[in-house]
Amino acid sequence: MCSPEEEALLQLEEVFSSTLARINSLVLQPLLTAAPEPSDPQGRECLRLLQQLHRSSQQLWEVTEESLHSLRRRLCHQDSVGLESLLLLCGADRVLRVHVEYIEAYTSCVVVQAFQKAAKKRSEYWRGQRKALRQLLSGVSSEASVGTTLVQALRQPLAHHVQQYVLLLLSLGDTVGERHPTRELVVHAATLFGNLESFMRQALDQATATQALWHALSSRLRDVLCTPARRLLQDSQDIPVTVTPLRAERVLLFDDALVLLQGHSVHTFDLKLVWVDPGQDGCTFDLLTPEEEVSFCSKDPQGRMVWQWKVTQAVCQALRGKKDFPMLGAGLESPEPPTCRCVAYTFRAEGRLCQATYEGEWCRGRPHGKGTLKWPDGRNHVGNFCQGLEHGFGIRLVPQASEDKFDCYKCHWWEGSMCGYGICEYSTDEVYKGYFQAGLRHGFGVLESPPQAPQPCKYTGHWERGQKSGYGIEEDGDRGERYIGMWQADQRHGPGVMVTQAGVCYQGTFQADKMVGPGILLSEDDSLYEGTFTRDLTLVGKGKVTFPNGFTLEGSFGSGPGGGLHTQGLLDTAALPPEPSGTRKRQLGVGAFPAESRWQGVYGPFRDFVRAGCPGDLQEALLGFHVQNSRDLRKSQEYLCCERTQPEDRAGRMEDVLDELLQHREPRALRQCLRKALSNSLHPLGKLLRTLMLTFQATYAGIGANKHLQALAQEEVKQHARELWAAYRGLLQVALQRKGQAPEEDEDTETRDVQVHGLVLPLILPSFYSELFTLYLLLHEREDGLYSQGIAHLSLFPDTKLLEFLDVQKHLWPLKDLTLTTNQRLSLVRDKCFLSATECLQKIITTVDPREKLEVLERTYGEIEATVSRVLGQEHKLPMDDLLPLLIYVVSRARIQHLGAEIHLIRDMMDPVHTGGLYDFLLTALESCYEHIQKEDMRLHRFPGRGDSRRPW
């Protein structure tokens, strides 16, 4: 059965629906059609607001009709339709939202006096409608103006209607009882419409006060400040307040801005960028803004409390983006605005940010967090900020004179300047990858121009305050030269080595980019030039030339006609030929650039990272970040991509790295752990190794592949192994410190060398092997050529003939291993004897690890002895006189290319702990075989006859 309250609600909705229809036809339609389209901006704004009010009124009428329909349906079908079906209950939030939209549209019209302005345009018409309007109202004087009557006609019916809603819903709540299933809905609806009453009163009060303010201000100030949506919350004329240092004459707090009036000056502060800071005494509080810090002082603590509370709540409301409901400061989860915010702002004060627009995160009046900074001249910066300055990773675009050309800086920043690792792509198509300090290139870095540049060039090395300084490598693609040596102030200065594409190698001293003093030059044909040289590496003045055959020419040199070399001097043909290991194998750069001081710009940032305790947020700044290719770099430039790994994620990964080091300290586990770390480009050790690989390739690949640089490269690889072991030790100490464990004791030199040569060097050698082995090939090319000839001649021998030629004792010949066909003669069988040993030795080229190569050699020796023991039918240990010819036989059948380069690389890179041991003995035996095969009597074109006991050693 329906309650009397439901019937009363039905009557209320019927009356209100009818009233809304009359208001629409009697007031709103005439207001919209009263005059032609206005031409002035204010008239157009008033028309827009009236149109918005008309739409809101129409929506209010529609929702009232829906509510009326639900009430009628309830009264007609009481048994089947429950109370919860009423729109006022089940859709109370929606009904409330429509009422709020109408109130906001109405109060906007009140603020700009839209009703009064529209009424003036058809005053005669409205005077004729005055009687009909009064029928809609109660308590309105007959002397009231048309504008006032219109204001009341659009407000009073709604206010009365909401008031009746509240009374009837409260009564309905009392009727349904505590346990009724719909009681919660009824109470909720009554609360909402009770709050709506309060909201309406506050909205009308604010609109009236704001309209009065606009009326009182000068037209100039009104034009600057007046907007329909803006509401006045507090005026210093009501509660006086003094503002310093701006000395404002009047302070106006609106719902979106704080305005200080000072003579003809207007200072406006966006409330979204205002931070309230309680003062030190009872009458003062401070406001922080992006460009000002002002203090408010009232006459008494009560006045200060009113201003501070209202400013705080206005800031909260502005950040929420909608009016507080039902009252200012009500319904908020937190009474205080958040310290960190995300807002856009354009700076006005003079300085580096003048006219720049920042959009992003703020904290206490300063850009802080992620954001985008744009200047009017086209500069853009996307990245992290701290206390108003670029700090952390960021991308900066700087437009250049030519259209659509930018310099792109993808770097780490520190307090407004580039600092740490960065990748910069310039409008000239040059790319710099390296470190910065105070906005300048500083530390290690690579600057490379594109191959199609007029003068293609690449510099890999150290920088100081924006200039090349210290050890560095520069390749001049146009001249086909590579300089390896010292720099100062962007010029070659100090000891240096010049290598050309033609194979010429020069070492000397440079000063201010010029060669000074004596130097030496080694040509491709192993001629040695000593003296002073021109920029084109031409001997000039007094000098000496030593030719490969030992002849010397000493005298004065100069450029001859046609670009040749002109000389006056003494030619000495009596000199003996130089030692093979003299000019041809002379090494340059050794001693001039100590290995431990060459790449301090690479090692230094890692040491800084370890000293800082390996913080995850500094890992990229100190160790660099990885960009797959130039396409990714260009993408970051075009789209200003700034999605970086969060610092806490990087810190978490760093924790995992350190934990893994702690868990794998046993020798076998440590080897696997280091292998994994060095192969991972995101691991600190892997990053360091990749940078060292880059420097190695820049020095010794391409033009730098010169045999005279082999020793320089070899000691560099060993130094890298020492530094990587020190890097591991540094990480381990940090890991122990974080876990509160005692640090490991410092290693002595012997212990360190064991780990460097036995553990680290074999792990990193594959990363440098290609360039390093090429240098060994070039250095031992002549011996390997003789060796190859010897192998070619020995391969012509059948097995038995070769064993006989090598004077292998016949009782050691493995003839039982030879399986012959009916048409085959024993003397013609080839490549069958000692086959297992031969196949074993061939595996020496399948690995780059010196220890593994030595293990192959050991297994080969074992296979030879096993074969001999099988032939003799007993275990047999071979003396050196028997082993050497058998090993020569196996080596000749294995046909290993470049064996000399292999032997020397093993000798140079093997663990010193093996010196004097079995591996050293076997390697010496292999060296002896290699040297014997090169001898001329091994390269005879004839087959020795049976019984020829000729010994090749």
Side-chain angles (χ1 to χ4, degrees):
M1 182 176 179
C2 289
S3 63
E5 288 80 5
E6 292 176 74
E7 294 178 354
L9 281 171
L10 176 63
Q11 294 175 6
L12 181 65
E13 295 288 51
E14 288 176 341
V15 171
F16 189 54
S17 177
S18 175
T19 302
L20 286 175
R22 290 183 63 196
I23 290 174
N24 182 59
S25 61
L26 188 62
V27 179
L28 292 176
Q29 290 289 354
L31 283 174
L32 293 173
T33 59
E37 181 77 22
S39 58
D40 61 299
Q42 291 184 351
R44 287 195 296 271
E45 182 64 22
C46 286
L47 179 59
R48 184 189 68 80
L49 294 173
L50 290 170
Q51 289 171 342
Q52 177 62 40
L53 179 62
H54 178 256
R55 288 191 293 270
S56 298
S57 174
Q58 184 66 27
Q59 292 173 0
L60 186 59
W61 177 81
E62 290 172 358
V63 80
T64 304
E65 282 292 306
E66 281 189 58
S67 177
L68 186 58
H69 175 73
S70 69
L71 284 162
R72 285 171 178 164
R73 185 165 172 267
R74 160 74 175 154
L75 292 174
C76 293
H77 305 86
Q78 299 177 18
D79 297 334
S80 59
V81 179
L83 187 61
E84 68 277 359
S85 65
L86 297 183
L87 183 65
L88 285 175
L89 301 183
C90 66
D93 293 312
R94 176 177 161 230
V95 175
L96 176 75
R97 186 170 61 252
V98 173
H99 281 74
V100 169
E101 289 174 358
Y102 178 87
I103 293 168
E104 291 178 343
Y106 167 76
T107 52
S108 294
C109 291
V110 171
V111 166
V112 298
Q113 296 185 305
F115 304 124
Q116 292 86 337
K117 293 175 182 178
K120 286 182 181 180
K121 296 182 179 179
R122 288 184 65 184
S123 56
E124 291 295 330
Y125 169 80
W126 290 112
R127 277 196 293 270
Q129 298 295 324
R130 185 173 295 178
K131 182 178 180 180
L133 289 172
R134 287 202 189 98
Q135 294 176 359
L136 295 171
L137 308 172
S138 62
V140 178
S141 171
S142 59
E143 301 300 323
S145 65
V146 173
T148 303
T149 304
L150 290 175
V151 169
Q152 293 295 328
L154 291 166
R155 179 188 66 81
Q156 196 179 86
L158 178 64
H160 174 74
H161 183 65
V162 173
Q163 184 183 33
Q164 292 302 308
Y165 264 166
V166 176
L167 294 174
L168 289 172
L169 288 170
L170 289 173
S171 178
L172 182 61
D174 294 336
T175 301
V176 297
E178 291 288 340
R179 297 185 178 182
H180 196 281
T182 58
R183 176 172 174 77
E184 188 175 338
L185 290 175
V186 175
V187 172
H188 175 66
T191 304
L192 283 182
F193 287 104
N195 290 338
L196 182 60
E197 271 194 294
S198 302
F199 177 78
M200 186 185 303
R201 283 194 296 270
Q202 176 183 265
L204 291 172
D205 291 344
Q206 290 177 355
T208 303
T210 307
Q211 186 271 326
L213 174 67
W214 299 147
H215 182 75
L217 291 179
S218 66
S219 59
R220 188 185 67 83
L221 290 177
R222 190 163 57 246
D223 291 341
V224 172
L225 297 175
C226 180
T227 63
R230 179 170 282 174
R231 301 289 182 270
L232 178 66
L233 303 182
Q234 189 63 55
D235 188 342
S236 63
Q237 288 189 348
D238 299 328
I239 300 179
V241 68
T242 303
V243 180
T244 54
L246 297 178
R247 302 290 181 183
E249 300 167 359
R250 189 174 184 180
V251 183
L252 302 172
L253 175 63
F254 294 99
D255 58 355
D256 65 332
L258 179 70
V259 176
L260 308 182
L261 302 181
Q262 187 179 18
H264 296 293
S265 300
V266 179
H267 299 275
T268 304
F269 301 97
D270 184 353
L271 288 181
K272 294 178 181 177
L273 287 168
V274 170
W275 282 259
V276 181
D277 198 5
Q280 300 299 319
D281 57 63
C283 298
T284 305
F285 68 96
D286 299 326
L287 295 183
L288 306 177
T289 71
E291 298 183 79
E292 301 281 354
E293 183 173 342
V294 295
S295 294
F296 277 52
C297 183
S298 63
K299 295 181 179 180
D300 52 62
Q302 185 178 0
R304 191 270 303 173
M305 288 177 61
V306 172
W307 269 101
Q308 182 175 328
W309 184 86
K310 284 201 172 182
V311 171
T312 300
Q313 301 313 313
V315 171
C316 289
Q317 181 177 263
L319 290 171
R320 290 176 61 204
K322 60 180 181 180
K323 292 185 181 299
D324 293 347
F325 184 86
M327 305 286 286
L328 180 67
L332 294 178
E333 295 180 1
S334 173
E336 296 295 329
T339 302
C340 297
R341 309 166 191 175
C342 192
V343 192
Y345 178 78
T346 300
F347 293 88
R348 298 184 296 270
E350 290 297 326
R352 74 183 190 94
L353 297 181
C354 183
Q355 300 303 313
T357 298
Y358 174 79
E359 183 174 359
E361 297 172 348
W362 296 75
C363 182
R364 295 183 60 81
R366 300 288 181 268
H368 191 88
K370 290 185 179 295
T372 302
L373 193 60
K374 297 182 179 180
W375 284 267
D377 62 5
R379 286 177 294 157
N380 289 334
H381 184 94
V382 180
N384 293 310
F385 293 79
C386 182
Q387 294 299 314
L389 297 173
E390 300 90 331
H391 193 90
F393 179 79
I395 300 176
R396 172 73 61 86
L397 291 186
V398 180
Q400 299 303 303
S402 59
E403 192 175 354
D404 296 330
K405 287 284 188 177
F406 291 84
D407 286 349
C408 175
Y409 301 88
K410 186 175 182 178
C411 309
H412 281 266
W413 301 69
W414 182 272
E415 296 181 352
S417 297
M418 289 183 289
C419 188
Y421 186 79
I423 298 178
C424 304
E425 190 174 64
Y426 302 97
S427 59
T428 58
D429 290 331
E430 287 184 314
V431 177
Y432 174 79
K433 298 180 182 180
Y435 292 88
F436 289 86
Q437 183 174 299
L440 299 173
R441 299 170 193 154
H442 192 91
F444 171 76
V446 180
L447 179 64
E448 185 173 10
S449 61
Q452 65 273 18
Q455 292 182 323
C457 188
K458 178 179 179 181
Y459 174 80
T460 304
H462 297 83
W463 302 76
E464 187 173 337
R465 292 188 290 274
Q467 296 180 318
K468 302 167 189 172
S469 188
Y471 184 74
I473 317 298
E474 184 178 68
E475 182 168 327
D476 188 335
D478 194 38
R479 298 177 62 92
E481 294 177 347
R482 180 174 296 172
Y483 172 79
I484 304 168
M486 304 306 294
W487 295 76
Q488 182 177 302
D490 266 343
Q491 294 180 323
R492 291 172 292 184
H493 192 92
V497 173
M498 183 81 77
V499 185
T500 73
Q501 210 161 20
V504 174
C505 205
Y506 166 84
Q507 178 175 331
T509 303
F510 292 77
Q511 186 173 343
D513 226 24
K514 296 179 180 178
M515 300 175 181
V516 296
I520 62 171
L521 184 145
L522 297 165
S523 67
E524 178 68 10
D525 66 354
D526 296 327
S527 295
L528 170 65
Y529 297 77
E530 301 170 88
T532 56
F533 294 83
T534 66
R535 175 66 181 84
D536 294 324
L537 299 179
T538 301
L539 190 61
V540 61
K542 290 185 177 181
K544 178 182 178 182
V545 179
T546 303
F547 297 101
N549 60 2
F551 293 2
T552 61
L553 178 60
E554 191 169 359
S556 297
F557 296 84
S559 298
L565 184 65
H566 178 75
T567 181
Q568 287 185 343
L570 178 64
L571 176 65
D572 184 0
T573 60
L576 296 174
E579 289 293 325
S581 59
T583 302
R584 184 165 55 85
K585 293 191 175 182
R586 186 163 182 170
Q587 296 298 297
L588 303 183
V590 179
F593 325 113
E596 60 273 12
S597 63
R598 284 178 215 164
W599 298 112
Q600 287 302 313
V602 178
Y603 309 139
F606 194 98
R607 296 191 189 113
D608 294 340
F609 177 66
V610 171
R611 276 195 293 266
C614 302
D617 56 341
L618 289 182
Q619 185 175 344
E620 284 191 345
L622 293 175
L623 304 185
F625 47 84
H626 184 61
V627 172
Q628 293 289 345
N629 49 45
S630 59
R631 185 176 182 180
D632 289 346
L633 181 64
R634 192 170 293 277
K635 180 181 177 183
S636 68
Q637 172 182 338
E638 292 172 354
Y639 299 101
L640 289 179
C641 297
C642 199
E643 293 299 323
R644 308 298 300 161
T645 306
Q646 293 299 319
E648 55 268 23
D649 294 339
R650 290 198 293 266
R653 285 211 298 267
M654 198 63 231
E655 283 293 334
D656 294 341
V657 166
L658 297 176
D659 287 345
E660 189 170 7
L661 294 181
L662 284 178
Q663 296 166 11
H664 299 84
R665 297 166 66 184
E666 295 301 320
R668 184 183 298 274
L670 176 57
R671 179 179 295 273
Q672 293 303 319
C673 179
L674 286 179
R675 187 188 304 275
K676 179 181 176 182
L678 293 168
S679 63
N680 184 357
S681 61
L682 299 179
H683 193 286
L685 293 175
K687 286 185 177 184
L688 179 57
L689 176 59
R690 272 152 186 76
T691 305
L692 296 175
M693 288 168 59
L694 183 149
T695 63
F696 199 77
Q697 291 165 0
T699 311
Y700 306 109
I703 297 175
N706 191 292
K707 63 186 178 183
H708 302 295
L709 302 180
Q710 177 267 335
L712 200 68
Q714 177 218 125
E715 65 178 14
E716 194 165 300
V717 172
K718 292 180 178 178
Q719 179 62 27
H720 291 339
R722 285 189 283 269
E723 292 290 345
L724 283 163
W725 176 249
Y728 160 75
R729 293 274 300 172
L731 291 176
L732 181 61
Q733 300 290 34
V734 172
L736 291 168
Q737 183 180 4
R738 288 195 181 187
K739 296 297 182 182
Q741 300 180 24
E744 288 195 344
E745 296 181 0
D746 291 339
E747 294 178 311
D748 56 41
T749 303
E750 183 178 351
T751 304
R752 184 202 65 183
D753 288 345
V754 168
Q755 297 287 18
V756 168
H757 290 89
L759 177 61
V760 182
L761 189 58
L763 291 176
I764 70 167
L765 193 55
S767 300
F768 306 101
Y769 193 80
S770 177
E771 293 78 18
L772 183 62
F773 191 64
T774 299
L775 297 178
Y776 275 90
L777 290 178
L778 295 172
L779 185 62
H780 302 285
E781 184 177 17
R782 180 172 297 180
E783 294 93 326
D784 276 340
L786 296 174
Y787 158 78
S788 295
Q789 291 178 26
I791 291 293
H793 295 311
L794 293 177
S795 65
L796 300 175
F797 286 74
D799 288 352
T800 55
K801 294 292 185 181
L802 183 56
L803 290 169
E804 183 181 5
F805 174 70
L806 296 175
D807 203 17
V808 176
Q809 296 185 48
K810 288 193 176 185
H811 71 282
L812 301 179
W813 293 11
L815 299 181
K816 62 176 65 175
D817 292 342
L818 306 182
T819 303
L820 304 179
T821 63
T822 55
N823 298 324
Q824 197 172 21
R825 293 168 56 193
L826 182 64
S827 60
L828 298 180
V829 175
R830 188 173 311 191
D831 297 333
K832 297 296 182 181
C833 292
F834 295 98
L835 184 59
S836 61
T838 301
E839 292 176 345
C840 185
L841 183 60
Q842 288 171 337
K843 294 177 182 177
I844 201 170
I845 63 172
T846 62
T847 179
V848 300
D849 185 344
R851 180 183 176 87
E852 292 179 359
K853 289 178 182 289
L854 289 170
E855 289 173 351
V856 168
L857 190 55
E858 182 184 18
R859 289 197 299 272
T860 301
Y861 171 69
E863 290 293 337
I864 293 174
E865 279 202 335
T867 301
V868 170
S869 297
R870 190 174 64 254
V871 170
L872 298 178
Q874 62 181 7
E875 185 175 343
H876 182 74
K877 292 295 182 182
L878 289 169
M880 189 61 177
D881 285 346
D882 289 339
L883 172 63
L884 191 59
L886 286 174
L887 189 57
I888 293 176
Y889 173 86
V890 171
V891 169
S892 68
R893 288 309 192 221
R895 300 179 181 88
I896 298 171
Q897 291 187 333
H898 315 299
L899 183 60
E902 292 279 2
I903 291 171
H904 286 88
L905 187 141
I906 296 170
R907 175 68 70 188
D908 291 340
M909 293 294 172
M910 76 176 188
D911 191 340
V913 74
H914 298 310
T915 303
L918 175 62
Y919 285 158
D920 194 3
F921 164 74
L922 293 175
L923 186 59
T924 302
L926 185 62
E927 286 174 327
S928 180
C929 294
Y930 174 74
E931 292 170 1
H932 280 303
I933 292 174
Q934 294 178 57
K935 292 181 179 178
E936 188 172 351
D937 55 359
M938 284 288 188
R939 294 182 273 119
L940 297 175
H941 290 273
R942 64 178 181 83
F943 291 90
R946 181 179 300 272
D948 189 347
S949 60
R950 180 186 189 89
R951 286 180 176 266
W953 48 83

